Amino acid sequence: MQKIKTISFLIVFISFHAFGQEISVKVKDFNDDGVLDTLKSFYEGGSGFGGKFCELINGKTKEIYELNTWGSYSQIKKCVIIPPALNKVENLKFLEAMNKEILPAKKNKPDASLQWILNSTFSNKVFLKHDYFDLIIFHHSEWNNEKLQLPSTYYICLKGDSLN
């Protein structure tokens, strides 16, 4: 009887382990240098945090580039910091492939529901010695009088001071 329980447990454990994560491996010449590169990605999450992880191995140099969207599920906006090596001109095709693998669709500019959050983050005045206020936010909202469109998940590129 104990042997049957052990075998049943192992089957269930292996099933959850094998199907609990989507592990994707793609072997392709991503940067058009004539050598096959390897792109691995998977999702990992728990009750409060999770994200997609991506690793690209340059077939020619064996360099490994990593990118992930790890963070709290409660975040309204999430910043994915691109490593400097992926921002080099020779690696832009790697970055593009990794973005397609782990990020949602790209938009050129944020919609109003995100823009006011970004504006308030980057346009504020901090009071150090005030009895009632410690921060004033200048959101510069552009109000929309058209039909409401619910936002979807997407990403935009931020550069320079906007990351501060």
Side-chain angles (χ1 to χ4, degrees), residues 75-155:
Q75 290 176 299
I76 293 174
K77 64 180 173 103
K78 186 183 299 188
C79 287
V80 177
I81 306 297
I82 308 298
L86 277 172
N87 274 323
K88 292 181 180 177
V89 175
E90 63 269 18
N91 294 329
L92 289 180
K93 289 189 178 184
F94 288 155
L95 178 59
E96 184 180 308
M98 294 172 86
N99 284 346
K100 284 181 184 176
E101 192 69 23
I102 67 170
L103 295 177
K106 181 180 179 182
K107 277 192 174 183
N108 292 326
K109 66 178 198 163
D111 59 20
S113 64
L114 176 60
Q115 187 63 57
W116 76 271
I117 296 172
L118 295 175
N119 288 347
S120 67
T121 302
F122 305 131
S123 302
N124 56 55
K125 181 177 181 180
V126 177
F127 294 105
L128 298 177
K129 295 181 181 178
H130 194 284
D131 291 340
Y132 303 109
F133 301 103
D134 62 354
L135 179 69
I136 292 181
I137 297 171
F138 304 101
H139 54 83
H140 307 289
S141 295
E142 293 181 23
W143 298 105
N144 182 2
N145 293 328
E146 300 169 9
K147 184 178 177 183
L148 178 67
Q149 291 182 347
L150 295 176
S152 60
T153 303
Y154 62 91
Y155 81 94

Side-chain angles (χ1 to χ4, degrees), residues 4 17 48 139:
I4 293 173
H17 185 69
H139 54 83

Side-chain angles (χ1 to χ4, degrees), residues 12-59:
V12 170
F13 178 76
I14 291 170
S15 297
F16 281 123
H17 185 69
F19 299 110
Q21 292 185 5
E22 288 184 38
I23 299 174
S24 170
V25 178
K26 296 177 182 174
V27 179
K28 177 182 171 183
D29 184 9
F30 290 101
N31 61 347
D32 301 323
D33 66 353
V35 180
L36 293 177
D37 309 301
T38 304
L39 178 68
K40 299 176 185 177
S41 66
F42 66 94
Y43 174 83
E44 184 176 291
S47 60
F49 288 83
K52 294 179 181 178
F53 293 82
C54 190
E55 176 184 273
L56 197 144
I57 303 167
N58 185 333

